[in-house]
Amino acid sequence: MEESNEVHSEENKTSFDNKKRVLKTPAQLTALEKFYNEHKYPTEEMKSQLAEELGLSEKQISGWFCHRRLKDKRLSRDETYANGRQDRSSGVIQDRASGLGQDSCGSTKHGDYRYVDPREVESRRLSGYDFPPADLTREHRIHYTERVSMDNTSSESSSSLQDRFLTQTEDPYDMETSRYITDNGVFSPLNTKGAENMGYKPSGYLKVKGEIENAAITAVKRQLGRHFREDGPPLGVEFDPLPPGAFESPIMDPVQEPSIGGDAAGLDSPDTSGVKRQPSPSTRYEVYNSKLSSQGLYMHQENRGIMHGVDMVERKSRKQLRQKSTYLKDINSSAGKNSSLDMYDAFPGGMSAYNGNRKNRMSSKHGHRGRKITSETTEPWSNESDKVCSPNIGQRSDYFKSKALNSVVKHSETHDTERGLFTMIPREEKVDGECKAVKDYHNPLRVTMTDEVAVGKQGRVNFPHQDYATSVPFSQIPERKNQIKGTAMEMPSSFSEDETAETNSSVD
DNA sequence: TTGTGTTTTATTGCCTCC
DNA sequence: GGAGGCAATAAAACACAA
C-alpha cells in the first residue's frame, strides 16, 4: 500500500522515465473517463491538452484511450456473448445482436457482425449526422455501458476541454447509487435473485454481467431497436397511467409521482410523437436499466450526476457484487431510513470511478485501510472525490450520516475553478444542496429540454438515446417498481414490435 | 501472510489510411 | 513512410479468500 502511494504521488514526475508501471490517480482516471465518454478518439489537440491538464504524456493519453477502447470492446463482446446466450431463446433478437455484436473499435477483422465505426460515429455526431437509432443505441452501448458504467456520459457540447470535464466528481457515485436504488428508493442487490431464477447461470464474469444487466433486459432493449431511445422522455410516461394494480403494485411513487405523471408526461420528445413506446414493464425497466448499464454517454451538464461510463458500471457491478455482502449490508441498513433523495444526498458525487469501487470496497471490508489518496495532498487539481472517498469516510454507514456534503462540494468548486480542468457547473444546482440537485432529477422536463437546447447548439440533431440514457431523471427510477415487481426473469426476454404495439393498445 | 484471480498499464507488432 | 489504431502480451497493482 505504501508503495503504491508512493507511486501515485510520484507518478506525474516519474511516469515518463520510470518504466515501472504507475497507476493513474483517481482524478486522472475520472477525467479520462469523462473525456472518453465524449470522445473515444480524441484529436491530437485534445490529447495534448488532456495530457497537459492531467500531467501525463501524450503517449500515455493515447495509450490509455487505446486500452480504454479495447476495454469497451471487450466488455461489449462479453456482454453480447452473454446476451447471445440468452438470445438463443429469442430468435428475434438474435439478428440484431448476431455474432459478437458490437465492436467498439473499427477493426475490420471482426467483420462478421454489424459494426459502426466509432470514429465515424463521432465524426457524424459532431457534424450532426443522424444515425439510425439502432446504430446509435449500439454505439451508445459501446460508450458507455455501466459502466459502466462508468462509468458513463455527457453531452457533446464540449466546446472546450473544460466543458468536457463536467463534474466528474458526481457521476461515478451517482451511477453507483442508482444501481442500487430500487423502486422504494432504497438500495438493494442487483436483482441477482431474478437472474438466478432464470436458470441461466453463466459463470465468471458473464455470471456477474447477467446478474447486473439481465440479458433479457438488454435483449428487450435491442428488440426495441430504433424505437428505443434513451434520450427520450421516460418511457411510459406518455401514456395514461396504468390502473392501480395493473402490475400488481401501484404505479405511483408517493414522492415522485408528480414528476413522472406530470412533467414527464409533458415531455416533448422528438421521437415519441410518432413512436409511442409501450409502457410495458419491460420497456420502463429497460430504460431504467439502460440508464444504469449503458454508458452515460453525452450526459449533459444538467444531468451529469447520473452516470459516468461503462467501465464504472462494469467495474462497480462486478466488484460491488462481490462485496455486496458487506456493502449492501451497510447500504440497506441506511436505505431503510433514507429515501432515494437521501441516497443521492448521501453521495454528493464526489466519488470517482475508483473511489466508488476499490476504495469503498476496501473501506467496507478493511475499514480505513486503503490506498492513500495522494491527490489529497499532492495534486492541487484533484477533485473532491478523493477526499470524499478518503478512508475517513470509507465506512459507508458513517458516510450516510455525514452531512458535510455542501462543504465538500464547495470545496470541489474551488478546485475546479482553480484548476480549470473540470467544468464549473452552476453550483447552485449542486451545492445548494443536495436537494437542489435532486429537484433536477425530479424535473425531467427541465433536464430534457436543457439537453435538447444544448444538443441544438451542438448541431447534434438527432441523437436521442445517448442523451437520454443519462438524462433520465431519477424520478423515473421508481417507475421501475412495477417491472421490478416481477423480476427480470418474469419479463419477456424478447417480444416483437407487434407485441409492443399490443401492449400499447392494451394500455390505451 | 500468502496465493490466486482480476484489473490496469505499458510495450510491441501489425494493419490501414493519407 | 509516417501516423494512428488495434490486438496481443507482459507485468505491476490490487482485492480477496484461505
Side-chain angles (χ1 to χ4, degrees):
Chain A
M1 280 301 175
E2 293 301 323
E3 189 174 3
S4 64
N5 294 338
E6 292 298 324
V7 172
H8 269 292
S9 58
E10 301 283 334
E11 175 179 359
N12 293 336
K13 291 180 285 185
T14 61
S15 59
F16 299 156
D17 50 1
N18 186 3
K19 287 186 177 181
K20 192 171 184 178
R21 173 174 168 261
V22 291
L23 294 179
K24 292 174 177 56
T25 65
Q28 288 173 325
L29 288 173
T30 305
L32 287 168
E33 288 286 348
K34 207 71 170 173
F35 196 91
Y36 175 81
N37 287 332
E38 296 193 11
H39 298 280
K40 296 187 73 175
Y41 294 86
T43 64
E44 274 303 310
E45 293 75 15
M46 291 176 180
K47 289 179 183 177
S48 298
Q49 190 170 352
L50 193 57
E52 183 180 0
E53 295 285 352
L54 299 180
L56 301 172
S57 66
E58 293 185 35
K59 185 177 180 180
Q60 284 179 301
I61 298 297
S62 297
W64 187 90
F65 273 87
C66 181
H67 290 111
R68 187 63 184 76
R69 289 190 292 266
L70 291 175
K71 178 184 174 183
D72 262 359
K73 190 175 182 177
R74 185 177 64 250
L75 292 176
S76 298
R77 199 156 42 200
D78 292 344
E79 181 179 345
T80 301
Y81 174 68
N83 294 338
R85 295 178 61 176
Q86 177 74 17
D87 292 346
R88 289 195 180 104
S89 60
S90 59
V92 181
I93 303 172
Q94 190 81 21
D95 289 341
R96 295 185 187 237
S98 62
L100 291 176
Q102 56 272 298
D103 185 337
S104 65
C105 302
S107 174
T108 55
K109 297 173 183 177
H110 309 278
D112 54 339
Y113 49 84
R114 175 88 170 84
Y115 169 75
V116 177
D117 190 338
R119 284 164 288 192
E120 184 182 18
V121 172
E122 181 154 341
S123 63
R124 292 190 186 185
R125 188 181 297 146
L126 293 173
S127 62
Y129 184 91
D130 188 7
F131 276 97
D135 290 344
L136 288 175
T137 303
R138 164 197 232 81
E139 205 275 340
H140 172 74
R141 251 169 43 77
I142 294 169
H143 273 263
Y144 359 168
T145 54
E146 231 147 177
R147 249 279 240 168
V148 200
S149 101
M150 327 163 214
D151 264 357
N152 164 355
T153 31
S154 50
S155 73
E156 191 69 16
S157 64
S158 53
S159 57
S160 67
L161 277 175
Q162 295 178 352
D163 289 342
R164 299 182 195 107
F165 285 116
L166 304 182
T167 49
Q168 55 179 312
T169 60
E170 277 193 13
D171 306 338
Y173 221 91
D174 285 345
M175 181 64 210
E176 176 178 276
T177 301
S178 63
R179 289 192 72 82
Y180 288 91
I181 290 180
T182 67
D183 19 325
N184 294 328
V186 299
F187 287 102
S188 72
L190 297 171
N191 192 22
T192 57
K193 207 168 184 177
E196 291 175 358
N197 293 336
M198 293 176 66
Y200 163 59
K201 295 182 179 180
S203 60
Y205 171 67
L206 293 181
K207 177 182 179 181
V208 176
K209 286 293 296 183
E211 293 173 349
I212 295 168
E213 182 175 7
N214 192 305
I217 303 306
T218 303
V220 171
K221 183 192 295 183
R222 293 182 176 177
Q223 185 87 32
L224 289 174
R226 61 185 184 86
H227 293 308
F228 170 71
R229 43 172 306 158
E230 295 175 349
D231 76 333
L235 295 181
V237 298
E238 295 193 30
F239 307 95
D240 295 336
L242 295 172
F247 288 91
E248 300 179 355
S249 65
I251 299 173
M252 308 301 187
D253 181 290
V255 176
Q256 301 175 357
E257 178 227 343
S259 296
I260 297 170
D263 294 16
L267 278 177
D268 180 20
S269 172
D271 250 1
T272 51
S273 59
V275 181
K276 284 211 170 190
R277 288 261 53 87
Q278 72 291 355
S280 69
S282 307
T283 304
R284 297 171 115 189
Y285 182 89
E286 174 184 337
V287 174
Y288 170 76
N289 192 65
S290 66
K291 185 171 81 73
L292 299 183
S293 62
S294 64
Q295 295 262 33
L297 184 61
Y298 295 116
M299 177 183 68
H300 212 267
Q301 296 187 6
E302 280 73 14
N303 29 341
R304 63 175 61 81
I306 298 177
M307 301 184 64
H308 189 289
V310 59
D311 60 320
M312 295 179 184
V313 178
E314 300 287 351
R315 237 193 290 163
K316 290 177 191 299
S317 303
R318 279 174 280 173
K319 293 193 174 183
Q320 292 187 349
L321 272 177
R322 275 187 286 177
Q323 73 166 115
K324 60 185 175 184
S325 59
T326 56
Y327 176 80
L328 293 175
K329 182 178 181 179
D330 292 338
I331 295 296
N332 288 327
S333 63
S334 301
K337 296 173 289 188
N338 294 326
S339 65
S340 60
L341 300 184
D342 291 335
M343 299 313 294
Y344 297 128
D345 293 347
F347 299 103
M351 306 298 186
S352 68
Y354 278 63
N355 291 336
N357 295 289
R358 292 181 177 174
K359 288 171 189 167
N360 283 332
R361 179 163 60 160
M362 288 189 292
S363 299
S364 64
K365 174 162 184 170
H366 305 292
H368 292 178
R369 175 176 167 243
R371 270 159 62 181
K372 173 186 176 184
I373 308 304
T374 58
S375 58
E376 290 181 16
T377 55
T378 61
E379 295 173 329
W381 45 277
S382 63
N383 55 40
E384 75 281 9
S385 63
D386 298 335
K387 298 178 179 61
V388 171
C389 297
S390 64
N392 291 336
I393 53 177
Q395 297 288 358
R396 192 65 63 93
S397 58
D398 292 339
Y399 184 57
F400 283 156
K401 299 173 184 175
S402 174
K403 278 295 180 181
L405 301 175
N406 288 339
S407 61
V408 173
V409 175
K410 289 177 181 177
H411 184 61
S412 74
E413 178 177 344
T414 302
H415 269 311
D416 292 348
T417 305
E418 291 176 351
R419 177 61 181 174
L421 173 62
F422 308 116
T423 301
M424 285 283 299
I425 63 172
R427 288 292 176 181
E428 281 184 319
E429 296 180 5
K430 192 176 174 184
V431 176
D432 221 18
E434 312 137 27
C435 292
K436 187 67 184 297
V438 171
K439 286 178 181 177
D440 288 345
Y441 293 134
H442 288 196
N443 190 348
L445 176 61
R446 172 184 169 188
V447 173
T448 303
M449 290 184 67
T450 308
D451 280 354
E452 292 181 357
V453 170
V455 168
K457 290 180 180 179
Q458 300 159 14
R460 288 175 49 234
V461 180
N462 271 322
F463 284 117
H465 70 288
Q466 290 102 329
D467 291 321
Y468 193 64
T470 56
S471 64
V472 175
F474 281 116
S475 60
Q476 180 186 348
I477 293 177
E479 292 186 270
R480 179 172 157 235
K481 182 182 299 180
N482 292 335
Q483 297 81 39
I484 292 303
K485 177 70 178 180
T487 62
M489 79 161 268
E490 296 178 10
M491 294 186 292
S493 61
S494 69
F495 52 85
S496 64
E497 295 186 0
D498 292 340
E499 289 173 320
T500 300
E502 183 178 351
T503 305
N504 284 334
S505 61
S506 65
V507 172
D508 293 338

